[in-house]
Amino acid sequence: MIARNETIFKWSLYAAATALCLLVQTGFLQRLEFWGALPFLYPLLAVVPATYEGPLAGSIFSLCVGLVSDLLLPGPVPCLYTLIFPLAGLCAGLLSQSWLPAGFLCSFVSAAAAFLLHGSFRCLILWMQGAAAWEAGALVMVREFCAAAPFVIPLTLLYRSVFRKTRFDD
């Protein structure tokens, strides 16, 4: 069993890696535009670590990323990311434990699922407000995913290095 100090060290490294990614997102990527959309790394930050940590720890980490995202980003619904990201983290953790081993392909599929979940929920909110936004919302979701997809590789490398550094064999 992992000792308490080792657990604290592990999740501190995950938090530091995520904080670094958030800094890059807000300081640099907000100024770039690809295919008519800004790269949106927040869903990736929620699901890539979950592919390595599994469903329970991944969901809890994704919940924390969702809380931070809701504090940093304005949204149409309060707690939007707090509701969506734990579900995306759970799906990513289950995917990595059952069908695909944690790695680039699993991270890519998990990121696609996270963007699909996020885009669907935003379209549902707009539809409930009386706007017919399914087609436009799907187009925005695809553009955001295409703009963020190249960042799956460096984020997978970053979180894999944290996972390997903090993996303690019993």
Side-chain angles (χ1 to χ4, degrees), residues 27-160:
F28 178 67
L29 295 179
Q30 293 292 77
R31 291 161 176 63
L32 300 178
E33 186 174 319
F34 301 104
W35 299 290
L38 299 174
F40 187 56
L41 298 184
Y42 291 91
L44 301 178
L45 299 177
V47 297
V48 173
T51 62
Y52 289 104
E53 290 299 327
L56 179 62
S59 296
I60 294 170
F61 184 78
S62 298
L63 175 69
C64 295
V65 172
L67 287 170
V68 170
S69 300
D70 279 326
L71 291 173
L72 293 176
L73 299 172
V77 174
C79 302
L80 172 72
Y81 302 109
T82 306
L83 296 172
I84 293 173
F85 286 171
L87 183 59
L90 175 66
C91 292
L94 290 172
L95 178 68
S96 70
Q97 284 192 343
S98 59
W99 288 320
L100 293 172
F104 296 112
L105 181 61
C106 185
S107 296
F108 187 79
V109 171
S110 298
F115 273 94
L116 180 65
L117 184 65
H118 178 253
S120 300
F121 195 80
R122 283 194 311 186
C123 288
L124 181 66
I125 291 169
L126 290 172
W127 177 74
M128 290 173 58
Q129 293 174 347
W134 290 102
E135 184 178 339
L139 185 60
V140 169
M141 177 189 59
V142 168
R143 283 183 181 167
E144 283 182 348
F145 177 70
C146 289
F151 295 98
V152 169
I153 294 170
L155 288 176
T156 302
L157 291 172
L158 175 67
Y159 285 117
R160 182 174 62 185

